[in-house]
Amino acid sequence: MAYGCGLRVSEIANLKVTDIDSARMLIRVEQGKGRKDRYVMLAPDLLDLLRQWWRVKRPRGWLFPGQQPGQPITTRQLNRACHAAAEAAKLGKRVSMHTLRHSFACVSACKFDPVRRGIGIQL
């Protein structure tokens, strides 16, 4: 979600199942930075992954439930999962949830900016 949509770790933690609008391919982010609501684009590949997740876990309420019943996953748990995945992939670099968010921004900028695309910036 951080890489696929550019969401902040706190925004991912606070997503509800009802925030996913597969018909319009949007995700509603409630009370993001600055306490503002907004919508972000939902990529088809990410929707497929979310559907697989839903079939396995069948979350109610929070999209990513925490260890405590009725509570969302914590940002710390998400960061730990990110670090564990990076270690398992043997990336050899420090990776954080914010790194994924930043990578989304860089890829998006290159994809939609003809100047960067034209000079061949490689990511």
Side-chain angles (χ1 to χ4, degrees):
M1 306 282 306
Y3 180 77
C5 299
L7 296 181
R8 294 174 179 87
V9 68
S10 60
E11 294 169 341
I12 295 169
N14 290 308
L15 284 176
K16 297 177 184 129
V17 174
T18 55
D19 292 333
I20 308 300
D21 185 345
S22 59
R24 297 188 318 168
M25 297 302 288
L26 294 172
I27 298 174
R28 176 182 163 86
V29 178
E30 262 185 61
Q31 302 291 300
K33 187 174 181 179
R35 298 282 181 214
K36 294 181 181 178
D37 296 347
R38 71 179 199 282
Y39 285 91
V40 295
M41 294 181 298
L42 174 60
D45 293 346
L46 184 54
L47 178 60
D48 290 341
L49 288 172
L50 288 172
R51 284 183 170 154
Q52 290 173 27
W53 164 257
W54 190 85
R55 280 186 215 110
V56 172
K57 296 293 183 177
R58 300 276 183 187
R60 293 185 187 151
W62 303 109
L63 185 59
F64 303 109
Q67 293 175 343
Q68 301 295 323
Q71 295 295 314
I73 192 170
T74 65
T75 57
R76 185 169 174 89
Q77 288 171 310
L78 284 170
N79 278 313
R80 284 181 176 168
C82 179
H83 293 149
E87 195 172 307
K90 300 181 192 286
L91 295 180
K93 293 186 177 191
R94 287 183 50 160
V95 178
S96 68
M97 294 294 290
H98 189 73
T99 305
L100 297 176
R101 175 177 156 75
H102 180 75
S103 297
F104 167 82
C106 290
V107 169
S108 296
C110 287
K111 193 181 290 185
F112 299 112
D113 185 346
V115 172
R116 287 188 182 125
R117 195 175 49 214
I119 60 174
I121 293 178
Q122 298 294 317
L123 298 177

